[in-house]
Amino acid sequence: MLAFSKHRDLREFEDRLRDAPEATAELMSEILAGTLRRFPSAGRAGKAARIERLIQSGAWTDAVLALIELELPLWQVRRIAYDEGEWHCALSRDRELPDWLDQSIEAHHADLPLAILSAFVDARLIAAPSNRSSVPFVPREPNPLYEPVMTDNFA
């Protein structure tokens, strides 16, 4: 399977999910291939195979929930609600906290599996490791447009 870990690729998945009218086997397989972080180990191979079987059988919601369990084990579904023709899904790390304290990921779509999958992709964006170091980068040479300005001290 392919391993897309760049934010750009996940943003493309967000766009595809937003524009898709409903879940399809092709779309689900592409998302699955693009969101798995690494090749499955012995323990994860069975879970990945289960997800692929669920996709082949058309059990989209179960497949997405199994994908969340496999890829983001610290995240859980906090809320699924249907309102005014759209499904709303919230994923959370701390489901037991009150709503006003929790920092959950919320997504919506007219199709339930795609609403959950959109929340999953958003959670992956947050959970993706950053390539930046903790020390800020300072260029060694000043900007060529930089000019010092003389100021007077009026104190």
Side-chain angles (χ1 to χ4, degrees):
M1 289 186 184
L2 301 174
F4 297 143
S5 62
K6 298 178 182 176
H7 293 289
R8 178 179 48 103
D9 296 326
L10 291 175
R11 296 276 182 217
E12 290 173 8
F13 285 139
E14 279 183 327
D15 295 340
R16 294 232 19 235
L17 290 171
R18 189 177 341 103
D19 296 338
E22 62 183 14
T24 62
E26 179 182 305
L27 177 64
M28 296 292 283
S29 296
E30 184 179 334
I31 299 290
L32 176 66
T35 56
L36 286 178
R37 284 185 261 194
R38 55 185 97 65
F39 290 101
S41 62
R44 292 171 44 120
K47 291 181 180 181
R50 177 177 173 256
I51 294 170
E52 289 176 3
R53 283 193 310 274
L54 288 169
I55 290 172
Q56 291 171 356
S57 66
W60 314 126
T61 305
D62 292 335
V64 174
L65 293 173
L67 180 62
I68 292 171
E69 180 184 344
L70 176 67
E71 281 296 308
L72 299 173
L74 299 177
W75 291 82
Q76 300 173 346
V77 175
R78 180 176 182 87
R79 179 179 56 254
I80 295 177
Y82 186 76
D83 187 31
E84 297 182 10
E86 284 194 328
W87 288 96
H88 298 265
C89 176
L91 296 181
S92 173
R93 285 187 184 165
D94 298 313
R95 189 172 60 177
E96 302 305 321
L97 287 176
D99 281 341
W100 59 276
L101 282 177
D102 188 24
Q103 295 180 349
S104 61
I105 303 288
E106 297 191 22
H108 59 89
H109 197 279
D111 190 42
L112 174 61
L114 294 184
I116 300 171
L117 196 55
S118 296
F120 166 76
V121 170
D122 289 345
R124 278 294 309 273
L125 280 169
I126 289 175
S130 176
N131 292 335
R132 299 180 301 175
S133 67
S134 61
V135 179
F137 173 73
V138 178
R140 294 186 183 263
E141 298 177 13
N143 187 343
L145 300 177
Y146 170 77
E147 292 184 25
V149 177
M150 182 66 114
T151 60
D152 292 329
N153 186 356
F154 294 108

